[in-house]
């Protein structure tokens, strides 16, 4: 008898249970990994086996490549699902998985490596006719030299780490006097956080929206796009509310950028799920980066297209099947996601601890992606994302009402959360009219 295929979920939290469900629905077996701080997660009880990979510290557990690969061996797995964060965009890890005989559920190692280097990614995209943010990514030699370069771009500019991610380590420079010092501290920080002090400079756009295109490729030159998302409601460059499709952009502009994105992915022979992220200002799109993995906000795309992106990733990796067809993909309605974080509503400091009570929202096209349950203790060691509430309806106005209802129905007692902030966002007039941009939350709501 043929062995049932088995997947190792190399992650925790929201994406771990999401992947577990997708794998189970497809009939696969599942091994999970956990740190000692995470032994009470719900998905562990639903897995065929759960293997402890180390102590709470991420470097010793969820970033411990050898322990994860040993867990896949122990579990007799066929593939490793990285999710988002941790090792999801680590080319070295992807290579180790493949060399150890496990399918890495993601694109090829070379693509992960080049897209993980933001300077290289921008160069590749420019060659593929994707519009990028004007800037400078060459050598930084002297204070005068770089002042000269930035003068040409025009202030303000943003200094970014080439190996950066998670909205961290970016510095906005408004005038010449601070430029050199900011570059030096950006380099030190980049070296410390990302292991490379390579930085580059971009024009800092003042009121852009963050719009991204979901793509999916078969790894052989065929690819489709699954339309757009707007992720402009952010705090400190971190997304808080996401929706699909993008709003307030002329349809022909969206169609053009979708086409450019999909063509780029065909040229790259991109495999699996990926996202091209853009800033959109004054009718123009500017590429900022590509994520070579599933994203937190993939859910809103699933809601409007009816495509299960995680299942599609697993089917491609394990069965070598690519079932998506551009001519069949259609947008059906509008969808929105609120990221629920365990954090103090005023200071935004994480609020780990024991959850006393949870009441989940319900209703038609209301989705709650989470591991939490009454009595669950949120460890202090990880990201504060504890749940995603996703809703879909026929148009945006109904979505806003439905999300407000879902938020009002949700009760999480025992810890602080940002539920109230989301309620305020849903009632905000500017947001309801789609007038928001990436700094809107900080400038107009907080
Ligand atoms: P990360 O990989 O750390 O998430 P990104 O390059 O994707 O970094 O940028 C994250 C966010 O930072 C964007 O969504 C946007 O809000 C802001 N940002 C990035 N580049 C610029 C820019 N050139 N001008 C204005 N805001 C920017």
């Amino acid at each position: 008898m043929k062995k049932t295929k088995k997947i190792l979920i190399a992650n925790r939290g929201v994406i771990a249970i999401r992947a577990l469900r997708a794998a189970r629905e497809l009939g696969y077996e599942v091994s999970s990994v956990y740190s000692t701080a995470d032994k009470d997660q719900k998905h562990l009880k639903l897995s065929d086996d759960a293997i402890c990979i180390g102590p709470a510290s991420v470097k010793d557990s969820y970033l411990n490549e050898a322990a994860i690969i040993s867990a896949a061996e122990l579990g007799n797995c066929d593939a490793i699902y990285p999710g988002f964060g941790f090792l999801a965009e680590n080319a070295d890890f992807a290579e180790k998985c493949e060399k150890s005989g496990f399918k890495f559920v993601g694109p090829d190692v070379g693509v992960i490596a080049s897209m993980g280097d933001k300077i290289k990614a921008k160069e590749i995209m420019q060659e593929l006719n994707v519009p990028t943010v004007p800037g400078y990514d060459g050598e930084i030699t002297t204070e005068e030299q770089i002042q000269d370069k930035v003068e040409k771009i025009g202030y303000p500019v943003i200094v970014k780490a080439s190996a950066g991610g998670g909205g961290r380590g970016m510095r906005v420079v408004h005038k010449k006097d601070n430029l050199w010092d900011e570059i030096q501290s950006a380099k030190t920080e980049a070296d410390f956080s990302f292991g490379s002090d390579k930085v580059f400079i971009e024009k800092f756009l003042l009121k852009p929206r963050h719009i991204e295109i979901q793509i999916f490729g078969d790894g052989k030159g065929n690819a489709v796009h699954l339309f757009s998302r707007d992720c402009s409601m952010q705090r400190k460059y971190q997304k808080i509310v996401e929706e699909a499709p993008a709003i307030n952009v002329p349809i022909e502009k969206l169609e053009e950028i979708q086409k450019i994105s999909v063509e780029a992915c065909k040229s790259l022979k991109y495999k699996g799920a990926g996202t091209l992220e853009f800033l959109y200002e004054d009718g123009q799109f500017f590429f900022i980066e590509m994520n070579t993995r599933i994203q937190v906000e993939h859910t809103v795309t699933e809601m409007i297209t009816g495509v299960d992106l995680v299942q599609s990733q697993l089917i491609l990796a394990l069965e070598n099947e690519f079932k998506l067809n551009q001519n069949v993909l259609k947008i059906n309605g509008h969808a929105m996601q609120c990221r629920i974080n365990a954090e103090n509503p005023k200071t935004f400091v994480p609020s780990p601890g024991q959850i006393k009570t949870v009441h989940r929202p319900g209703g038609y096209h209301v989705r709650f992606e989470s591991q939490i349950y009454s009595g669950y203790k949120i460890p202090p060691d990880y990201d504060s994302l504890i749940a995603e509430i996703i809703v879909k309806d026929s148009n945006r106005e109904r979505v806003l009402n439905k999300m407000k209802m879902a938020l009002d129905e949700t009760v999480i007692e025992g810890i602080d959360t940002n539920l109230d902030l989301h309620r305020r966002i849903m009632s905000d007039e500017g947001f309801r009219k789609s007038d928001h941009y990436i700094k809107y939350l900080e400038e107009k709501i907080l």
Side-chain angles (χ1 to χ4, degrees), residues 118-120 122-123 126 135-139 199-201:
K118 289 189 182 184
I119 294 180
K120 203 180 223 172
K122 274 183 87 171
E123 280 167 10
Q126 277 160 8
Y136 177 72
D137 58 15
E139 287 246 1
V199 297
F200 64 107
I201 294 168

Side-chain angles (χ1 to χ4, degrees), residues 100-162:
S100 310
F102 303 109
K103 293 236 157 65
F104 176 80
V105 183
D108 289 339
V109 175
V111 176
I112 303 175
S114 36
M115 292 301 142
D117 177 342
K118 289 189 182 184
I119 294 180
K120 203 180 223 172
K122 274 183 87 171
E123 280 167 10
I124 293 174
M125 289 302 170
Q126 277 160 8
E127 274 166 31
L128 296 172
N129 299 319
V130 180
T132 60
V133 189
Y136 177 72
D137 58 15
E139 287 246 1
I140 298 172
T141 50
T142 64
E143 192 166 351
E144 289 70 41
Q145 175 252 3
I146 196 63
Q147 280 177 354
D148 229 44
K149 297 281 181 203
V150 170
E151 215 64 59
K152 290 196 186 98
I153 303 166
Y155 288 91
V157 291
I158 184 164
V159 185
K160 293 181 171 180
S162 190

Side-chain angles (χ1 to χ4, degrees), residues 206-241:
L206 291 175
K207 279 196 172 181
R209 311 230 308 266
H210 175 118
I211 293 175
E212 54 189 39
I213 307 299
Q214 174 74 55
I215 58 92
F216 204 104
D218 70 350
K220 296 179 199 135
N222 188 15
V224 296
H225 70 80
L226 292 101
F227 311 100
S228 56
R229 294 187 284 259
D230 183 303
C231 313
S232 306
M233 192 54 81
Q234 303 184 353
R235 185 182 156 269
K236 292 205 164 167
Y237 305 127
Q238 305 255 21
K239 300 159 187 167
I240 298 195
V241 178

Side-chain angles (χ1 to χ4, degrees), residues 162-174:
S162 190
R168 285 176 302 133
M170 297 188 285
R171 278 148 197 276
V172 181
V173 185
H174 293 274

Side-chain angles (χ1 to χ4, degrees), residues 290-321:
M290 179 169 191
N291 288 145
T292 54
R293 56 170 165 82
I294 197 81
Q295 286 183 296
V296 180
E297 60 270 28
H298 74 278
T299 51
V300 287
T301 298
E302 293 180 328
M303 299 296 268
I304 62 159
T305 58
V307 173
D308 187 314
L309 286 167
V310 180
Q311 282 190 358
S312 305
Q313 287 183 295
L314 296 176
I315 294 170
L316 181 66
L318 284 138
E319 317 300 337
N320 217 0
E321 277 178 32

